Structures are given as C-alpha cells and as structure tokens.
Amino acid sequence: MKKQVRLVLSAVLALSLVGAFAMFGCSSNTTTTTEKKDDTAKTEQAEPVELQVFAANSLSKAMEDIQKAYIEDGHDNVTFKDTQYKSSGELNEMLGAGSYADLLISASKGSMDTAVSKGYVDESTRVDMFKNDLVMVSKEGAEMKDVTLQDIADGKYTICVGDDSVPAGNYAAQSLSTVGVYAPAGDDEGKTGKDITGKGGSYNTDMVKDGKVVLDTSVGNVCKHAQSGDVDIAFVYTSDVYRFGGVQVVGTVPADTHKNIVYPGAITKDCTNVEATQEFLDWCLSSEKAQKIWQDWGFELA
C-alpha cells in the first residue's frame, strides 16, 4: 500500500514538473517574441532617411540650425542632403529642369503659386510657414536714420534691390512704385504697391543711368552691396540683418506698400519620402525648439 502511495506521489510530482517546465517555456517564448517585436519596431523606426530641402536664400542660417536641432531631437535616423539655398525663382527653375527635392520653401506666395501651377509641389501639403518685414539697411556705422521711400525718390541715396527672380526685390519694387521709382508694365501698368507683382516693370531710367539703382540676383548679394558701402541703402528682410550682420536698419518699408511677406512650404510632387518630409515640416511649425530658432533668426511664425 505504501509503495502504491509513493508511486502515485511520484507521478503527481512528475506531472507538476512537466507543467512547470511547459509554462516556463511558454513564458520564455512569449518574452522572446515580445523582445523580437520590440527590436523590429526599433529597427523600423531607425530606418535611415535622407531629405533634400530646397529653401529660399534668406532661410540659410536658420535652416542649418533647424536641421541640426531636428536630428538631435530624436530623429537621428534622418540626414539632410546638401540643402539648396537659392532665390525662389531659381528653385522653381531647378525643379522644372528635373532636380529632385522633398520639400520646397519659397519666400513669396507668388513663387509657390507658380510651383503649384507647374505641378512641382503637392498643393494639399502647402502651408504658410513664416512672415517677415522689408527693411532698408546701410553699412554698419553709417550716419543715417529714419530713411523713407520719398528720400529714395528724391535721389538722396544710392540703392540696391533684388531683380525679378528675387522675392525681396519684388516687394521692394512694389513699394518703390508708390513713389515713382519703379514703373510697372503689362497687366500691372497704372497700378502701384501691393496691387502689382513687382515683376516685368522697370526702374526710373535716369536713376539707373546715374547709378542710383543697382540690381542683383539674390537678397544675400543685395545685402553685401550695403555691407561694403557700394550703395547707401539695400532693401532686405529683417532676418537678413541677423543672418549677415555688418549692416544696420535705417528705415522700415511701410507694410501697406507691398504684399504681405509670407514663406509657404510644400512637399514636392516627386517626393519619395512623403511621411518623413511631412514629419519634418510639422516639427518646424510645432516644436518649441524650432520656434525659438526661427525667432532668433528674425522670422515670425505665420
């Protein structure tokens, strides 16, 4: 009888051990499976992405800081290809010629309108990103202040503005048309200020002949003319004062003499990294770190 009891107890113990090992095995498998899933998720999150940004010239310094901060803010799987900083017109020309970009940021609504009409960007992703002001600057230390558009019209100073391809130049042309320094042509003829594009017209012939008006191909080049003292006044954005230095603001162009200065951004039609590009674009507008960087460089979020 005792022998039978011992056999029964041994069998029960054996079954218990088998069950325990089975449970341990299941638990171990579950843990391993979970760990594998976590590792897979991490691998997917860390998939390398290279983004190509086309941005208006005036964004160069700020965008360099933005891209660095974005990577440091938990996006170390993202790298940025050599970002192209050109006038908004040149950026459109590059896209039209087949150059690849994931994101386009223009310095004017008109330039982005062109990108939309030409099919370079996905209009549904378009968003107004920043606002800026147009100012008149001179070489740092120059003895002039409170310069007005009428002073320019009276020929008191030599000036430099961007040409037709430069949004800052278009805004300057709109403003200068209100005092007769710039004459619009074509569909804009007879109009002034914010009612014109600031393209296709001409500057006062005598002023150009006398060297009172100089044109250049980028807002950066325009600013350099003032930095060097080649001209008395350059028409640039407020952000350019932070970006380049070596100049001082001697007058603010009245906002009601030109169209609102807005920087729109949009994902391109050919973008192959739509999700990653949208995430970067959203971060640029919503992150507190990003907002501080934009403000430090003279931009105001739209």
Side-chain angles (χ1 to χ4, degrees), residues 38-297:
D38 290 343
D39 289 342
T40 301
K42 289 177 182 176
T43 301
E44 289 176 352
Q45 290 173 0
E47 184 178 347
V49 178
E50 184 181 61
L51 299 181
Q52 175 70 71
V53 178
F54 278 13
N57 258 320
S58 49
L59 288 167
S60 62
K61 296 293 185 181
M63 184 59 75
E64 288 173 8
D65 286 353
I66 283 290
Q67 291 175 350
K68 181 180 178 181
Y70 184 68
I71 293 170
E72 292 174 348
D73 196 28
H75 303 91
D76 53 2
N77 64 309
V78 177
T79 56
F80 291 92
K81 199 170 181 179
D82 184 27
T83 300
Q84 296 299 301
Y85 300 109
K86 306 282 185 183
S87 71
S88 298
E90 286 180 285
L91 294 176
N92 278 342
E93 289 175 4
M94 289 172 66
L95 290 173
S99 295
Y100 177 84
D102 294 296
L103 176 65
L104 172 68
I105 305 178
S106 293
S108 76
K109 287 188 173 184
S111 295
M112 186 59 78
D113 289 343
T114 298
V116 170
S117 66
K118 296 284 187 180
Y120 302 152
V121 298
D122 179 355
E123 187 176 13
S124 68
T125 66
R126 177 174 177 169
V127 60
D128 288 341
M129 299 181 69
F130 324 107
K131 295 188 289 186
N132 217 325
D133 295 312
L134 190 67
V135 293
M136 292 176 276
V137 299
S138 67
K139 183 177 180 178
E140 202 166 45
E143 295 182 0
M144 62 180 81
K145 62 179 181 179
D146 301 326
V147 176
T148 66
L149 293 176
Q150 190 57 52
D151 291 335
I152 305 296
D154 292 340
K156 293 182 180 180
Y157 306 105
T158 55
I159 66 170
C160 184
V161 296
D163 63 19
D164 275 7
S165 71
V166 184
N170 304 147
Y171 295 125
Q174 291 163 14
S175 295
L176 290 167
S177 72
T178 63
V179 290
V181 175
Y182 177 86
D187 294 339
D188 288 341
E189 192 169 3
K191 302 175 184 176
T192 62
K194 60 177 61 180
D195 293 327
I196 67 173
T197 62
K199 296 182 180 183
S202 59
Y203 285 88
N204 181 288
T205 305
D206 291 335
M207 293 184 73
V208 173
K209 184 179 178 181
D210 294 340
K212 293 286 188 180
V213 178
V214 177
L215 302 181
D216 214 317
T217 57
S218 74
V219 70
N221 289 341
V222 170
C223 194
K224 287 176 183 177
H225 282 276
Q227 285 175 324
S228 65
D230 287 344
V231 298
D232 299 318
I233 302 289
F235 283 74
V236 299
Y237 299 124
T238 299
S239 57
D240 294 320
V241 179
Y242 296 86
R243 184 162 67 117
F244 297 115
V247 293
Q248 62 188 28
V249 176
V250 295
T252 299
V253 180
D256 61 358
T257 63
H258 59 76
K259 296 181 187 296
N260 292 331
I261 301 174
V262 178
Y263 288 63
I267 298 174
T268 65
K269 275 282 181 68
D270 294 333
C271 178
T272 58
N273 305 297
V274 174
E275 186 175 342
T277 305
Q278 186 66 62
E279 186 176 353
F280 173 62
L281 184 57
D282 291 343
W283 183 89
C284 284
L285 299 176
S286 62
S287 165
E288 289 185 7
K289 291 181 181 179
Q291 290 178 34
K292 185 178 185 306
I293 291 171
W294 296 126
Q295 290 167 3
D296 286 346
W297 286 104

